[in-house]
Amino acid sequence: MNKKLMSVHEVAELTGITARTLHYYDEIGLLKPTKVTEAGYRMYDDKALSRLQNILLFRELEFPLKEIKEILNSPNFDPSEVIAQQIELLELQYKHIGELITFTREIQKKGVTAMNFDVFDKSEIEKYEAEVKAKWGNTKAYQEYKQKDIPRNGSNYSKIANELLTMFSELGELKHLNPSADEVQNKIAALQKFITDNYYVCTNEILGGLGEMYVCDERFRSNIDKAGGDGTADFVKQAIVVYCSKRKV
């Protein structure tokens, strides 16, 4: 392997990312330079470049930086397992894009009357992404989730996913109420129980993290707002904050 240390400029030229991005990754602890010279220049070795490669792959897969950092810093981090997961996700995205291309070609031939909303379904990709995040972000929760043995492509999974969206739809109908209202809080308690029954033990700490994810992850926010109307994700997050503040973790 190349033992030569590379400067920020050289890494930027090699990877196509900006020096500002590398500086930011250093600031948030995502990618620290191998060493900093007396003159203040950041230098990177092959190990750092390998980590950067993982970061860029996860960014292509639209993982938030915070979650990438959790994965790469996990004490159980296994590079070979992670690359296998990245390949699986890339293949799922390749399949999804292929289906969209086929569908749009059909529209081109038949006109806009060709209707097929199934091709927009990304639940298979999102479910696998959730598995990857749970695997490295919370090993205990992941193991409990795996023990549920929900088939990734089975009708049971689709049923559970639809039931979850229905719960968000019902919460959306309560947006006119204060998040602390008993009716809203009862729905949050039901949501927590549903996650525990079907995925993993959803402690108040995990539930609070989910609430943050519902508003910070654009895909979750979009799906929840589609189910319950605009603003549902924010409303659910506020209700979860109230719920968790009243209970011991």
Side-chain angles (χ1 to χ4, degrees):
M1 292 183 69
N2 179 22
K3 300 296 183 181
K4 176 181 177 292
L5 293 176
M6 299 183 70
S7 67
V8 167
H9 177 71
E10 289 171 325
V11 173
E13 282 196 337
L14 176 68
T15 63
I17 65 175
T18 66
R20 180 178 293 182
T21 298
L22 286 170
H23 293 167
Y24 180 65
Y25 286 174
D26 182 10
E27 290 172 11
I28 64 175
L30 178 60
L31 179 69
K32 305 297 290 184
T34 305
K35 66 175 289 187
V36 179
T37 68
E38 291 182 2
Y41 294 108
R42 296 170 172 85
M43 305 297 291
Y44 300 84
D45 63 5
D46 285 337
K47 184 177 180 181
L49 291 177
S50 177
R51 182 178 173 96
L52 177 58
Q53 181 172 268
N54 265 310
I55 293 168
L56 296 180
L57 277 169
F58 276 120
R59 289 299 289 154
E60 286 295 320
L61 293 165
E62 300 181 353
F63 276 56
L65 294 178
K66 180 180 178 182
E67 291 171 359
I68 296 173
K69 183 178 177 181
E70 287 180 355
I71 292 171
L72 299 183
N73 289 351
S74 170
N76 302 311
F77 178 75
D78 182 344
S80 61
E81 184 173 358
V82 166
I83 194 65
Q85 291 169 335
Q86 290 170 336
I87 290 170
E88 174 74 11
L89 280 167
L90 287 167
E91 287 178 341
L92 287 172
Q93 288 196 355
Y94 178 77
K95 175 187 172 186
H96 178 67
I97 291 171
E99 290 170 348
L100 287 173
I101 292 171
T102 300
F103 175 60
T104 51
R105 282 177 175 163
E106 184 180 350
I107 292 177
Q108 189 179 44
K109 290 179 180 179
K110 298 181 179 179
V112 294
T113 55
M115 296 290 183
N116 178 14
F117 291 98
D118 290 341
V119 297
F120 300 106
D121 181 11
K122 296 182 69 175
S123 60
E124 186 177 6
I125 296 173
E126 291 168 355
K127 194 260 185 182
Y128 191 76
E129 285 179 350
E131 283 190 41
V132 173
K133 294 172 184 178
K135 162 69 176 176
W136 303 109
N138 191 316
T139 302
K140 182 180 178 182
Y142 171 77
Q143 294 301 331
E144 292 169 349
Y145 173 72
K146 291 297 286 183
Q147 289 170 10
K148 301 291 184 181
D149 196 26
I150 303 171
R152 186 181 304 166
N153 300 313
S155 58
N156 190 42
Y157 170 70
S158 296
K159 178 176 178 291
I160 290 171
N162 287 334
E163 288 177 4
L164 184 59
L165 287 176
T166 297
M167 298 186 80
F168 287 126
S169 175
E170 293 171 350
L171 278 160
E173 293 175 357
L174 302 178
K175 291 199 299 290
H176 62 285
L177 299 175
N178 190 293
S180 62
D182 288 343
E183 189 174 356
V184 177
Q185 290 298 297
N186 288 339
K187 288 289 185 184
I188 297 299
L191 175 65
Q192 184 180 41
K193 183 178 185 303
F194 182 86
I195 294 170
T196 294
D197 290 345
N198 293 284
Y199 296 99
Y200 43 77
V201 175
C202 185
T203 63
N204 291 341
E205 181 179 11
I206 290 176
L207 183 64
L210 288 173
E212 291 290 337
M213 185 172 65
Y214 291 159
V215 296
C216 293
D217 190 305
E218 189 56 40
R219 289 162 296 178
F220 278 95
R221 176 191 284 272
S222 176
N223 287 333
I224 292 171
D225 282 357
K226 283 180 183 177
D230 289 346
T232 299
D234 285 308
F235 179 74
V236 172
K237 189 255 187 180
Q238 293 170 28
I240 286 175
V241 170
V242 174
Y243 180 89
C244 293
S245 69
K246 294 181 178 180
R247 292 162 177 80
K248 293 181 179 180
V249 176

